[in-house]
Amino acid sequence: NRATFAFNPMQQPFWKDLDLNTQTDLLLGAAGLTYGTDYGEGFYSSANLAIGEAAMRSGPQSIAELVENLQQITDEEGSGELNKEIVKAASHVLETMKRLGSVEALNVTANTGHPQEVLNEAIDLTAVFNEPQLLYFHLSSTLSPSGAPEIARLVSSLLLAAATQSDRKHQVYLVIDEFQRMVSSNLEAMLQLARSMGVGMILANQSMADLKKGRTDLITPVEANCRMRQWFSVSSREDQERLIAVSGTTIETKRGYSRSLNDNDEQTETWSESEEAVPRISLNDLLLMNDHPDHSILRIGRGEGYAQYGGMPVIIETNYHISPEVYKERRNKKWPKTPGSFLPGHAKRPKVSGPSPTPPPPPEPEWDEETIEKGDESPAPEVAETVKDDFLEALKARLELSGEGKRRKK
C-alpha cells in the first residue's frame, strides 16, 4: 500500500525507435532469458528469442499485452509460424513474463484506467541525462526473490539504451545495492559498456563469491571494470586470499641470532640477516581491520589528485556521512505520496462505450428423420399382443432375478 510512479518499458520515448530484434533482446536479456552461445545454451536462447520476436510483432504496449500474445502462441502449440519444439523449449519465456506482467507499475497505459497525471509523470529514463534528478526503485529481494532481480536488470538495461538515444549532458550514476541478487550472463556486457555510455556504476555486494553463480562468473569483469573498490569486511577465506594476493609485495628483513658452546665451554655467537618478499597486507591485518568498526580497505585502480596510492590497497579509517540521529529520522519518515504517483490496485479501467453486445440466440433443436421399419401393412393385432406378453414375461423374470441377487448379497 505504497505510492509509486509508473515505469512502462514499452512507453519509453526511445522504445519506438528501436527495431524488433533490439526490443526483443532488451526484454529477454533483462529477464535473464539469454543463456549464451554454446550448444545447449544457444538452442534455448534462440528458441526464447524466436517466440519473443513473434509475440512482439503486433506492437504490444505493455508487458501484460505481451503475455497475452505469448499465451496465444503457446496455446497454438506450433500450429502457427513457429515449430512445436521451439514453442515447447521457450515455455519459460511465458512464465517469466507473467511475473513482470503482474506488476501494475510496469504496465500502465492509456487503457489501464490510470489518471492522465500518472501517465504524464511516468518515469522517463532519457530525462535523467538531461535534467539532474533521483530515481529510486524499491525492489525487495526478500518479498520478491525472483521478480526484483528481473526488474533491476530491466531498469539497468534500459538505462544504457536510453543513453544511446539521448543527448548526455551530465554524468549519471547507477547505484545497485545487493548487486549479487541480479547476477546473470548479460550483465558482463553492461559492466563493459556503462562507462562509455556516461553511466557510472556503484555496486554493493556481500562477497566476491556471490558474483559467481553456476556458469556465470562476474568476478573478473567486476575487477577489470571497477576503478575503485572498498572492502568493509573480508570474512571468507577465498576473499582473504584474493585480497592478499593483489595487495602487492614488500621486502622484509629477517634477522637471526644463535649462541652455542663447544666441548671446551667456549661460547660462539652467530648473527644472520636475509631479505624476503612478503605480501603488503597479511591475514592479521585483515582480521584487525574486520574488528574495527571504522576501518576498511580501499583500492583505487588509477590515482588522481589526492588519491594516489599506486594502485595498491590500503587500510583507511572513515566515518559515517550522517549522524545516527539523522539516519533514524529519515528512516522513520512516511513514504511520500506526490503528484503523479498512484496506489497499485486502485485504478479503474475505463468502461466500454456504446450499446451492450447482443447475446447469441440459444441453439435450435436439430431434427433427425429415421425410418425404423418399412412395410406394406401394419402387424396383425394378435401378433402385437403376443409380442407384448413376451416382453412383460421377460421383464418380470429379470426383475425377480435382480431382487433375488440383492437378497443374497444382503
Side-chain angles (χ1 to χ4, degrees):
N1 197 30
R2 290 181 175 181
T4 180
F5 286 94
F7 174 66
N8 188 339
M10 300 181 181
Q11 297 294 324
Q12 296 296 304
F14 60 87
W15 183 259
K16 60 181 182 299
D17 297 329
L18 304 177
D19 58 62
L20 181 61
N21 292 334
T22 304
Q23 292 177 350
T24 307
D25 285 337
L26 277 175
L27 284 179
L28 299 190
L33 295 171
T34 52
Y35 313 122
T37 57
D38 292 343
Y39 177 70
E41 298 172 344
F43 170 75
Y44 286 100
S45 297
S46 300
N48 293 344
L49 291 172
I51 191 174
E53 184 175 329
M56 288 289 295
R57 284 205 183 104
S58 62
Q61 298 299 305
S62 66
I63 299 179
E65 295 182 11
L66 175 64
V67 170
E68 295 178 0
N69 295 345
L70 290 170
Q71 186 67 65
Q72 182 178 357
I73 294 175
T74 305
D75 293 341
E76 292 176 354
E77 294 185 348
S79 60
E81 60 179 295
L82 296 178
N83 182 275
K84 183 177 181 179
E85 295 301 322
I86 294 294
V87 176
K88 185 183 299 184
S91 59
H92 189 203
V93 177
L94 175 61
E95 299 305 321
T96 302
M97 288 301 169
K98 277 183 179 179
R99 289 196 295 269
L100 296 176
S102 64
V103 181
E104 184 177 344
L106 295 178
N107 296 276
V108 174
T109 66
N111 299 323
T112 53
H114 295 85
Q116 186 62 37
E117 185 181 31
V118 172
L119 300 175
N120 296 339
E121 297 297 329
I123 293 176
D124 176 8
L125 291 180
T126 60
V128 300
F129 293 95
N130 300 320
E131 181 182 357
Q133 56 186 282
L134 174 66
L135 301 180
Y136 178 61
F137 291 83
H138 179 75
L139 306 174
S140 175
S141 57
T142 303
L143 300 179
S144 181
S146 57
E150 292 166 355
I151 298 176
R153 289 193 295 263
L154 184 62
V155 174
S156 304
S157 301
L158 289 174
L159 181 65
L160 296 183
T164 64
Q165 303 295 321
S166 59
D167 297 330
R168 301 191 295 271
K169 297 182 178 180
H170 59 84
Q171 179 75 34
V172 172
Y173 294 95
L174 175 62
V175 183
I176 305 177
D177 193 18
E178 301 294 348
F179 174 68
Q180 74 276 2
R181 300 287 185 184
M182 54 180 292
V183 170
S184 66
S185 57
N186 67 313
L187 286 182
E188 181 175 352
M190 184 183 72
L191 292 172
Q192 297 170 348
L193 297 175
R195 183 168 52 188
S196 62
M197 298 295 180
V199 178
M201 302 187 68
I202 301 175
L203 313 175
N205 58 285
Q206 298 294 330
S207 68
M208 295 300 291
D210 293 333
L211 301 181
K212 187 176 182 180
K213 292 184 179 180
R215 301 182 63 177
T216 302
D217 189 355
L218 293 182
I219 296 178
T220 301
V222 167
E223 290 179 336
N225 293 283
C226 289
R227 181 176 178 182
M228 191 275 286
R229 301 172 62 195
Q230 188 172 7
W231 293 263
F232 296 95
S233 177
V234 186
S235 302
S236 68
R237 182 175 180 178
E238 184 179 351
D239 287 352
Q240 291 173 350
E241 294 176 349
R242 180 181 289 105
L243 188 53
I244 291 174
V246 300
S247 64
T249 57
T250 185
I251 300 298
E252 282 191 358
T253 302
K254 291 188 176 181
R255 294 181 176 86
Y257 169 74
S258 64
R259 184 172 57 182
S260 61
L261 295 175
N262 57 19
D263 295 338
N264 299 325
D265 292 335
E266 295 176 347
Q267 179 175 302
T268 303
E269 294 183 346
T270 304
W271 296 83
S272 63
E273 184 175 298
S274 63
E275 293 184 346
E276 181 181 1
V278 297
R280 291 182 61 256
I281 296 179
S282 66
L283 179 60
N284 289 347
D285 295 330
L286 295 181
L287 297 177
L288 290 173
M289 184 274 296
N290 292 340
D291 183 65
H292 199 289
D294 296 331
H295 283 184
S296 60
I297 294 181
L298 176 70
R299 183 188 182 190
I300 300 177
R302 185 174 67 252
E304 185 177 347
Y306 291 101
Q308 299 190 33
Y309 303 103
M312 294 179 289
V314 293
I315 298 177
I316 62 174
E317 180 174 343
T318 55
N319 297 321
Y320 290 97
H321 61 289
I322 57 176
S323 64
E325 293 75 20
V326 174
Y327 170 77
K328 292 179 180 179
E329 177 187 358
R330 294 179 179 179
R331 184 177 180 83
N332 294 330
K333 284 187 175 182
K334 293 183 179 180
W335 189 269
K337 176 69 170 68
T338 56
S341 62
F342 67 96
L343 290 175
H346 291 71
K348 296 181 180 180
R349 290 185 174 273
K351 297 182 180 180
V352 180
S353 58
S356 301
T358 305
E364 297 182 357
E366 296 183 1
W367 296 90
D368 188 18
E369 183 175 349
E370 180 180 358
T371 302
I372 296 180
E373 184 177 356
K374 183 177 181 180
D376 296 333
E377 55 184 4
S378 300
E382 59 271 17
V383 176
E385 193 68 20
T386 302
V387 173
K388 176 181 176 183
D389 294 339
D390 293 343
F391 172 77
L392 292 176
E393 288 295 328
L395 179 60
K396 181 179 178 181
R398 184 67 177 173
L399 292 175
E400 289 177 352
L401 179 60
S402 177
E404 182 180 358
K406 291 182 178 179
R407 285 193 297 271
R408 288 179 181 175
K409 291 180 180 179
K410 185 176 180 181

